């Protein structure tokens, strides 16, 4: 059986034909596969046809010098190792070439043993760099996979919490999901994107989660709540954040905390008002109230859509942010309900 060893491809770039030829012969005898180019342009042409593992690049060439050509070469072929060749060692030029990605340099006239040793070292370094890059790509892939798994675990945890809340209170079944839909459409109408939209989605799904900790007799009371009972109900804005704190970021916590705040600051124990209430909480307040008005509750039947919409409009500027109300009225869900 004949074993064919993979030969490394070397491109010799030198304006002196005799130098190129001599070097080509010597390196071919040492087992390398060589190509030649007499200028920067010829080198680019040659690399286009046959990529090289390593380029020996003469610094002093008429037209584009090797040091000027190096950045273009490395930009097009970042994985190709480059050994600079020079008759005169100019430290500044050598430093510049190394900064621009050259692996090594060699002086002319060539000592072939020294050159081959430099070539082997540069090829070895290149191999290590390529291996390292391949490994870090695998690692990045694994990190991405783990992030997706974590995201899935988070979504499952949120779903479980919402289901636990809805199992406890049959009157709010589906409320969190409906509020999420309305809030998202309102946010989109207001131009929210990316992370802000994601944060609002989780806050909306989890906004009432604190009701898990409220006495079910108060929560499901078939009559109007006393002020004391309403105070107790409102503690869900404090209990909720403490439940979901390990799962979500601070922005989501703030939205949950403030979702019962009135825009004009008139809410019970309210510390902020107007634009100081997180925008997500202002959006949630409108979506939450509208869904509550249009759903049956233990103490009353649902309101007609038109009456609920009129109430939202009436409360723009007091309970609700007028800009939010304006966007809410433009949402597809409101338009479909009105139709
Ligand atoms: Fe609430």
């Amino acid at each position: 059986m004949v074993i064919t060893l993979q030969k490394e491809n070397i491109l010799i770039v030198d304006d002196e034909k005799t130098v190129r030829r001599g070097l080509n012969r010597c390196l071919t005898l040492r087992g390398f596969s060589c190509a030649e180019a007499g200028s920067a342009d010829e080198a680019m042409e040659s690399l286009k046809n046959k990529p090289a593992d390593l380029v020996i690049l003469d610094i002093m060439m008429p037209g584009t010098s090797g040091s000027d050509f190096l950045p273009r070469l490395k930009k097009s072929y970042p994985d190709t190792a480059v050994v600079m060749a020079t008759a005169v060692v100019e430290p500044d030029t050598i430093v510049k070439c190394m900064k621009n990605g050259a692996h090594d340099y060699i002086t002319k006239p060539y000592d072939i043993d020294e050159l081959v040793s430099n070539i082997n070292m540069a090829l070895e370094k290149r191999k290590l760099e390529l291996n390292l890059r391949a490994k870090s790509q695998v690692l990045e892939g694994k990190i991405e996979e783990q992030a997706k798994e974590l995201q899935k675990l988070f979504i499952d945890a949120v779903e479980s919490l919402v289901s636990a809340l809805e199992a406890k209170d049959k009157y709010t079944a589906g409320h969190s999901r409906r509020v999420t839909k309305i809030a998202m459409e309102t946010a989109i109408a207001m131009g929210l994107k990316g992370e802000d939209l994601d944060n609002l989605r989780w806050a909306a799904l989890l906004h009432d989660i604190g009701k898990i900790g409220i006495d079910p007799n108060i929560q499901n009371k078939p009559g109007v709540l006393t002020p004391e009972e309403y105070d107790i109900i409102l503690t869900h804005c404090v209990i909720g954040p403490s439940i979901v704190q390990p799962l979500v970021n601070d922005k989501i916590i703030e939205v949950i905390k403030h979702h019962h705040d009135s825009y004009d600051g008139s809410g019970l124990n309210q510390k902020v008002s107007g634009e100081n209430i997180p925008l997500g909480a202002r959006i949630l307040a409108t979506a939450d109230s509208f869904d509550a008005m249009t759903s049956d509750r233990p103490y009353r039947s649902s309101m007609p859509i038109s009456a609920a919409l009129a109430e939202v409009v009436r409360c723009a500027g007091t309970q609700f942010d007028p800009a939010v109300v304006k966007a809410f009225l433009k949402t597809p869900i409101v338009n479909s309900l009105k139709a």
Side-chain angles (χ1 to χ4, degrees):
M1 188 174 69
V2 178
I3 299 172
T4 313
L5 287 173
Q6 178 86 33
K7 288 180 177 178
E8 273 123 341
N9 295 315
I10 295 182
L11 173 65
I12 303 157
V13 186
D14 198 305
D15 59 303
E16 287 180 61
K17 196 174 177 181
T18 47
V19 174
R20 292 198 308 266
R21 283 284 142 87
L23 207 50
N24 189 337
R25 240 187 329 269
C26 289
L27 294 177
T28 304
L29 282 172
R30 305 284 181 121
F32 296 105
S33 167
C34 296
E36 295 176 29
S39 66
D41 289 341
E42 275 182 41
M44 286 307 274
E45 200 53 40
S46 170
L47 289 168
K48 212 185 332 169
N49 297 327
K50 187 182 175 192
D53 299 307
L54 182 139
V55 171
I56 298 171
L57 182 57
D58 187 20
I59 291 180
M60 297 290 282
M61 288 195 294
T64 309
S65 72
S67 50
D68 285 343
F69 173 48
L70 178 64
R72 177 151 70 105
L73 189 155
K74 288 299 286 185
K75 193 175 174 205
S76 302
Y77 302 95
D79 295 338
T80 297
V82 180
V83 172
M84 305 304 293
T86 181
V88 187
V89 178
E90 287 174 356
D92 287 353
T93 310
I94 298 296
V95 168
K96 187 175 137 199
C97 291
M98 302 303 268
K99 273 187 187 163
N100 283 335
H103 281 70
D104 207 345
Y105 76 96
I106 180 113
T107 50
K108 289 178 176 180
Y110 297 120
D111 172 327
I112 290 299
D113 287 335
E114 191 192 340
L115 176 61
V116 169
S117 154
N118 284 15
I119 288 172
N120 284 331
M121 273 197 293
L123 286 171
E124 195 54 37
K125 194 175 166 206
R126 170 182 178 264
K127 203 155 83 182
L128 286 173
E129 284 168 359
L130 291 179
N131 280 344
L132 202 65
R133 193 180 320 148
K135 278 184 185 149
S136 66
Q137 272 166 356
V138 170
L139 211 61
E140 273 168 26
K142 280 188 181 160
I143 290 170
E144 209 173 296
E145 231 170 77
Q146 278 178 344
K148 274 186 193 156
E149 256 170 56
L150 274 176
Q151 174 80 349
K152 192 183 171 305
L153 279 175
F154 168 69
I155 293 168
D156 289 350
V158 171
E159 292 286 341
S160 302
L161 282 170
V162 173
S163 300
L165 172 66
E166 293 188 346
K168 183 178 173 249
D169 177 5
K170 66 183 163 85
Y171 290 100
T172 59
H175 169 72
S176 306
R177 290 180 175 90
R178 288 193 303 272
V179 168
T180 303
K181 189 170 167 44
I182 301 168
M184 294 306 281
E185 287 190 8
T186 308
I188 290 166
M190 295 186 83
L192 264 71
K193 290 184 192 132
E195 202 189 329
D196 290 336
L197 218 47
D198 279 342
N199 285 339
L200 180 59
R201 177 182 294 115
W202 301 122
L205 272 171
L206 293 165
H207 73 282
D208 272 347
I209 210 66
K211 286 186 178 169
I212 286 178
I214 303 292
D215 179 351
N217 292 320
I218 298 176
Q219 201 183 328
N220 295 324
K221 182 182 166 184
V224 178
L225 296 172
T226 64
E228 292 74 26
E229 286 166 339
Y230 188 64
D231 266 7
I232 292 171
I233 289 279
L234 275 189
T235 59
H236 76 274
C237 297
V238 180
I239 300 169
S242 66
I243 295 174
V244 296
Q245 188 105 46
L247 276 179
V248 300
N249 65 43
D250 289 350
K251 286 184 177 162
I252 297 174
I253 293 288
E254 286 304 300
V255 173
I256 297 174
K257 218 185 260 180
H258 291 279
H259 79 272
H260 277 282
D261 281 3
S262 284
Y263 184 70
D264 63 2
S266 63
L268 204 67
N269 302 325
Q270 196 175 321
K271 296 194 174 64
V272 287
S273 63
E275 311 281 301
N276 291 323
I277 302 168
L279 175 59
R282 283 178 267 147
I283 293 173
L284 206 44
T286 307
D288 186 20
S289 298
F290 176 73
D291 187 71
M293 285 189 273
T294 51
S295 307
D296 287 334
R297 286 289 151 118
Y299 49 91
R300 60 148 175 82
S301 302
S302 64
M303 255 186 186
I305 300 292
S306 56
L309 287 175
E311 182 62 8
V312 169
V313 171
R314 189 185 69 81
C315 296
T318 50
Q319 190 178 350
F320 307 127
D321 178 348
V324 170
V325 172
K326 199 172 159 195
F328 163 78
L329 294 172
K330 283 189 214 154
T331 57
I333 192 162
V334 167
N335 285 317
S336 71
L337 289 170
K338 277 198 290 196

